[in-house]
Amino acid sequence: MKTKALLPILVIIFWVVCFGFATSNFNHLTLESERKALIVEKKPQLSLEVIDDNDHASTLSKIAINQQKVVVAQFMYTSCRTLCSTLGNQFQQSQRHIIDKGLENKIHLASISFDVDRDSAHRLKKYRELMRADDKVWSLATLKTGNDLKLAKEQFGLIIVPSQSLDIVHNSAFLVIASDGRLVGIFNDDDIQGALALAVTQLQLEA
């Protein structure tokens, strides 16, 4: 009986040790958190130029300013079949949550494609139809030029690596932008709840 009782504890200890080893005694997680905090602390100018699915030019900052809402943004590309599909599903659920909570006039979602060469306004419209994105809640845009992509890499640590398949290996994160266009937070791509919670907190600060 004692052996059976100890088994679950030993399993937990095993996975904690493995996870600690994989993250170099959790240093990688700490470094990633520090990296994101440092980006916010630097207060980058969100001057990345984008073109939306109606061919209108704007910037990442102006999306928030023009909407007069707190924006949760993420980088993606429309033909992605892996990570971006997950991000898109998270935004679909977030869109429903925002509408259900009556926050559509206060919180906005923005998907920004880094696939400058392929993600035209037409492709963004197709993606909008696929994701059933309500334009009152969810903006779609692509970075305007390669220079904007370079700036995104420099400012936000965006990493893009072409692969042998049709997909592009890349990282992603959720950016939380205040209604005056300031970056106020960055969250891992598996923490949409954290991003939305900060958006709500930002709303309270702006009230």
Side-chain angles (χ1 to χ4, degrees):
M1 291 295 293
K2 290 183 178 179
T3 302
K4 290 183 178 179
L6 283 173
L7 186 58
I9 297 174
L10 292 173
V11 170
I12 292 171
I13 292 173
F14 171 78
W15 283 113
V16 168
V17 170
C18 288
F19 187 67
F21 177 78
T23 59
S24 298
N25 292 327
F26 305 98
N27 286 336
H28 289 177
L29 293 181
T30 303
L31 289 173
E32 181 65 8
S33 297
E34 289 178 351
R35 184 185 72 81
K36 288 182 169 62
L38 184 60
I39 291 173
V40 176
E41 186 179 323
K42 286 182 178 179
K43 300 178 180 179
Q45 295 294 315
L46 304 182
S47 56
L48 300 172
E49 291 191 82
V50 299
I51 303 292
D52 69 16
D53 54 336
N54 290 312
D55 267 328
H56 295 152
S58 185
T59 68
L60 194 54
S61 177
K62 285 181 180 177
I63 290 176
I65 294 172
N66 292 340
Q67 292 281 344
Q68 277 299 288
K69 302 176 186 178
V70 178
V71 171
V72 178
Q74 46 115 329
F75 292 105
M76 44 67 78
Y77 69 107
T78 63
S79 58
C80 179
R81 298 174 296 176
T82 52
L83 174 59
C84 301
S85 295
T86 301
L87 296 175
N89 290 336
Q90 289 177 332
F91 263 24
Q92 277 185 323
Q93 294 171 15
S94 298
Q95 176 176 256
R96 287 195 295 269
H97 177 76
I98 288 169
I99 293 173
D100 289 345
K101 295 295 182 181
L103 295 172
E104 60 268 31
N105 293 322
K106 297 181 179 180
I107 296 178
H108 197 75
L109 306 173
S111 292
I112 310 298
S113 172
F114 55 75
D115 194 349
V116 177
D117 295 328
R118 293 186 296 175
D119 277 340
S120 62
H122 175 72
R123 289 186 66 155
L124 290 175
K125 284 183 181 296
K126 290 293 185 182
Y127 184 78
R128 178 181 294 285
E129 293 174 4
L130 176 67
M131 303 307 296
R132 298 178 182 177
D134 184 337
D135 58 3
K136 295 178 181 177
V137 182
W138 187 351
S139 291
L140 300 174
T142 187
L143 294 172
K144 186 175 181 180
T145 67
N147 287 334
D148 296 297
L149 176 56
K150 180 180 178 182
L151 189 58
K153 291 178 179 179
E154 293 172 353
Q155 289 188 336
F156 305 111
L158 181 62
I159 299 172
I160 301 170
V161 181
S163 71
Q164 294 180 346
S165 67
L166 294 176
D167 283 331
I168 300 172
V169 178
H170 65 99
N171 63 341
S172 191
F174 295 111
L175 313 180
V176 182
I177 305 167
S179 62
D180 60 4
R182 292 179 297 111
L183 179 68
V184 294
I186 302 180
F187 291 80
N188 291 337
D189 56 30
D190 60 352
D191 194 11
I192 183 63
Q193 296 301 326
L196 290 173
L198 179 58
V200 171
T201 299
Q202 184 62 34
L203 284 176
Q204 296 169 348
L205 293 174
E206 296 179 6

